[in-house]
Amino acid sequence: MNKKQWTLLKILLALFALNSISLYFYFASSHRHLDDHRRHTLPGITQHRGPHLSKPWPIIPSYLPWSLTSNVAPKSCEAYFGNGFTKVADVLSPKAAVRSGSSWFRCHYSDTLRSSVCEGGKIRMDPEKIKMSTGGEKLEDVIGRTEEEELPEFEDGAFQVEAGGKGSRLKRKNFVGDEFLDQFLPDGNVLKHTMRELVKSIVAVGETDFTCQEWVDEPTLLITRFEYANLFHTVTDWYSAYVSSRVTGLPNRPHLVFVDGHCETQLEETWRALFSSLRYAKNFSGPVCFRHAILSPLGYETALFKGLSEHIDCQGASALELWQSPDDKKTARLSEFGEMIRDAFGFPVNRHHSDKAVSGDYNVLFVRREDYLAHPRHKGKVESRLSNEQEVFDALQRWASNRQECKVNLINGLFAHMSMKEQVRAIQDASVIIGAHGAGLTHIVSATPNTVILEIISSFYRRPHFQLIAQWKGLEYEAINLDGSYANPGVVIDRLNKIMRNLGC
């Protein structure tokens, strides 16, 4: 290398370093600006410094600022996956609450998702007026319990707000009517819209009737889960909770209260990792008041679920690309969310495909479907999506052990018997993820860039769940569509050989 080339190389390296430093401070300042804005506009947001200290937000490569303006185009990628909640309705004004010391309440509505993120300060919950099972029990202790027992039924006054100011007496009255609910919390296609029913149960009372046995100072998400033991539906709940936290500009990761009576599952490991703490509504012994409560929309109302029935024309892109060239047809939000999950478990978020194969090894993760007891009404048997799964796995083992071009490690993805942290680790370390259509493949939301997804699809289960997630993350996706549920191992290996050659193996 001559002197001129060496000088040019040093200039390029210096420019790269300068750009990296600029991006770091840009993203860091975006977090601080958003936090400062919210702390100065809403009362009741406090950073608790007691024993339940809130976890800070991490700095992640795919983070882009969550705009609080209304300049988000309907049906754009940001409207679907980011802050499309641009229509704000103040039921009780935050500004008035500052003066009077009473409650405040508002909803942020998305025309695109037809859903709201609602939040309020000085919100009272009375667990005795919520009819449901306790929740959080060991699965084996509640076998046979019905879903109706686990989902909440709210009496009027299950939630209360204080209106009228200091020393006031106020005739108890419903907080909002059906017109407000139809506009901001429509039923849509949800048969039992628990967040709508929760808001409908809110009663406005005067200060003298607003009594609390316990106060929660930290911002807290109130969440009702439905298909809580299914990974795909739980990921939609995780994403909804994450979006709600960002839309409301929380300065730290919120605490959680499950307003449902579901038993404990292994998926709670990720809930606890992502957020600051977790309690069930029935864990409170009496009326509890929240300084700042956020109602997270149902997972059914996220783009992850709505994409199964409506066309969402979005492609995954890097945050750097979108920062330099904004595009309504591209998104980095699912990558941002996947990095949140990886960071929550302590995994590096700057790893890319080139890091995986630096030693010449490539991991091919085979996500398996296993029999296991998922919830109280489950018989412990999973539906077969690949009738000869073991035969395919055995063939892949022989293929991997005999491959000469490079070293391939076939990972046996027995997710039902792995912790959530182990599952996420296997996903992030994989160069190729292969499996029959099943909820376990939802983990690809945490896959690193350039991971290749190969889905084996039975003719009985042709659904677009994982093709869409791959598309929205910008991952290469391939499918083997079967006639029935039997896969020819040779066809699977031929497809894998092609993928490995494209990866340089």
Side-chain angles (χ1 to χ4, degrees):
M1 181 180 294
N2 59 37
K3 186 176 180 179
K4 183 177 180 181
Q5 290 173 319
W6 175 244
T7 302
L8 180 61
L9 178 60
K10 288 195 290 183
I11 292 172
L12 289 173
L13 290 173
L15 288 173
F16 176 78
L18 180 62
N19 183 59
S20 299
I21 293 170
S22 299
L23 280 175
Y24 173 84
F25 283 110
Y26 170 77
F27 292 140
S29 66
S30 296
H31 280 263
R32 288 194 296 272
H33 172 76
L34 188 59
D35 295 345
D36 291 343
H37 175 84
R38 296 298 293 187
R39 278 194 290 269
H40 284 89
T41 55
L42 294 181
I45 300 181
T46 59
Q47 184 170 352
H48 186 64
R49 301 188 182 280
H52 301 295
L53 185 66
S54 300
K55 297 176 184 176
W57 292 112
I59 300 296
I60 50 180
S62 292
Y63 176 86
L64 287 173
W66 288 70
S67 171
L68 296 175
T69 72
S70 58
N71 300 325
V72 176
K75 302 293 183 179
S76 65
C77 292
E78 181 64 7
Y80 273 113
F81 292 99
N83 184 14
F85 297 86
T86 55
K87 182 178 180 180
V88 180
D90 285 336
V91 186
L92 290 176
S93 168
K95 290 182 179 179
V98 171
R99 295 191 298 269
S100 67
S102 58
S103 304
W104 60 272
F105 192 88
R106 65 169 38 158
C107 288
H108 309 258
Y109 181 72
S110 166
D111 283 315
T112 299
L113 294 175
R114 302 176 297 284
S115 175
S116 284
V117 174
C118 297
E119 60 175 330
K122 207 170 183 181
I123 306 294
R124 180 183 188 268
M125 177 181 76
D126 186 349
E128 292 298 317
K129 293 189 176 184
I130 307 174
K131 183 182 177 183
M132 62 186 179
S133 47
T134 302
E137 308 93 343
K138 297 296 182 184
L139 172 57
E140 55 270 21
D141 294 337
V142 292
I143 296 297
R145 186 167 67 188
T146 65
E147 186 174 33
E148 288 72 21
E149 294 176 84
E150 296 180 343
L151 290 176
E153 294 284 348
F154 302 104
E155 297 179 21
D156 284 349
F159 287 81
Q160 291 183 2
V161 293
E162 181 198 317
K166 189 171 181 62
S168 65
R169 285 188 172 277
L170 184 72
K171 184 178 179 180
R172 291 168 60 95
K173 62 178 182 179
N174 289 336
F175 184 52
V176 296
D178 288 341
E179 183 179 350
F180 178 91
L181 294 171
D182 290 341
Q183 184 175 358
F184 291 97
L185 292 162
D187 280 316
N189 295 321
V190 182
L191 295 178
K192 183 181 177 66
H193 198 300
T194 47
M195 282 300 121
R196 177 187 170 103
E197 292 176 6
L198 186 158
V199 174
K200 188 175 182 179
S201 79
I202 299 176
V203 169
V205 300
E207 184 195 35
T208 55
D209 296 318
F210 193 88
T211 58
C212 304
Q213 183 172 306
E214 178 180 349
W215 278 92
V216 176
D217 289 326
E218 307 92 341
T220 303
L221 287 176
L222 306 183
I223 296 169
T224 299
R225 305 161 300 156
F226 281 78
E227 299 174 63
Y228 66 102
N230 175 283
L231 181 63
F232 173 78
H233 290 284
T234 300
V235 167
T236 68
D237 284 331
W238 291 340
Y239 193 69
S240 183
Y242 176 67
V243 169
S244 298
S245 306
R246 292 302 198 182
V247 167
T248 52
L250 300 186
N252 296 291
R253 286 186 267 174
H255 298 256
L256 305 180
V257 171
F258 284 158
V259 188
D260 62 52
H262 297 310
C263 67
E264 187 179 49
T265 74
Q266 69 175 140
L267 299 176
E268 289 183 25
E269 181 186 348
T270 306
W271 279 112
R272 295 181 190 278
L274 279 171
F275 300 98
S276 290
S277 71
L278 170 61
R279 294 179 74 174
Y280 281 79
K282 287 289 190 180
N283 290 165
F284 295 95
S285 58
V288 57
C289 292
F290 300 95
R291 299 284 183 195
H292 187 194
I294 303 95
L295 309 185
S296 182
L298 306 181
Y300 296 130
E301 296 174 333
T302 62
L304 288 163
F305 187 83
K306 286 181 177 290
L308 303 178
S309 58
E310 61 185 81
H311 180 60
I312 299 179
D313 184 18
C314 292
Q315 297 290 330
S318 71
L320 178 59
E321 176 187 344
L322 291 174
W323 178 51
Q324 294 174 336
S325 302
D327 189 333
D328 282 350
K329 297 295 184 182
K330 294 182 179 179
T331 183
R333 292 300 185 198
L334 279 193
S335 294
E336 174 184 330
F337 176 60
E339 289 166 2
M340 270 296 305
I341 294 174
R342 286 159 52 203
D343 182 272
F345 283 118
F347 296 132
V349 293
N350 291 297
R351 291 187 60 180
H352 295 283
H353 171 68
S354 57
D355 301 312
K356 300 176 186 177
V358 68
S359 63
D361 290 11
Y362 291 80
N363 286 353
V364 174
L365 171 65
F366 194 138
V367 179
R368 307 290 297 272
R369 287 183 62 80
E370 301 178 82
D371 290 338
Y372 72 102
L373 197 61
H375 56 77
R377 296 160 294 284
H378 194 249
K379 299 184 183 300
K381 298 289 184 181
V382 298
E383 295 174 297
S384 175
R385 308 286 173 84
L386 180 58
S387 59
N388 63 325
E389 182 181 280
Q390 188 61 47
E391 179 188 4
V392 172
F393 180 76
D394 292 342
L396 291 177
Q397 277 190 313
R398 293 190 293 271
W399 165 80
S401 62
N402 293 326
R403 192 169 178 81
Q404 302 298 317
E405 296 86 344
C406 60
K407 182 173 175 54
V408 174
N409 305 309
L410 181 67
I411 309 300
N412 193 6
L414 298 170
F415 281 2
H417 294 86
M418 296 165 64
S419 70
M420 296 304 294
K421 183 173 183 176
E422 290 171 333
Q423 294 176 41
V424 174
R425 188 198 306 274
I427 290 290
Q428 85 154 9
D429 289 345
S431 298
V432 181
I433 300 170
I434 179 174
H437 181 92
L441 285 178
T442 318
H443 271 308
I444 65 175
V445 76
S446 300
T448 57
N450 300 316
T451 303
V452 181
I453 313 303
L454 176 58
E455 183 179 5
I456 303 173
I457 305 176
S458 160
S459 60
F460 307 114
Y461 298 97
R462 287 190 177 156
R463 300 165 183 165
H465 299 59
F466 312 115
Q467 180 182 0
L468 290 173
I469 294 175
Q471 172 188 319
W472 296 330
K473 276 182 61 73
L475 301 177
E476 180 183 339
Y477 171 88
E478 297 193 22
I480 299 174
N481 291 296
L482 307 178
D483 293 325
S485 61
Y486 177 87
N488 184 326
V491 171
V492 178
I493 288 171
D494 285 346
R495 187 66 69 89
L496 266 178
N497 275 325
K498 178 184 175 183
I499 290 170
M500 298 310 297
R501 284 195 298 270
N502 290 338
L503 290 177
C505 172

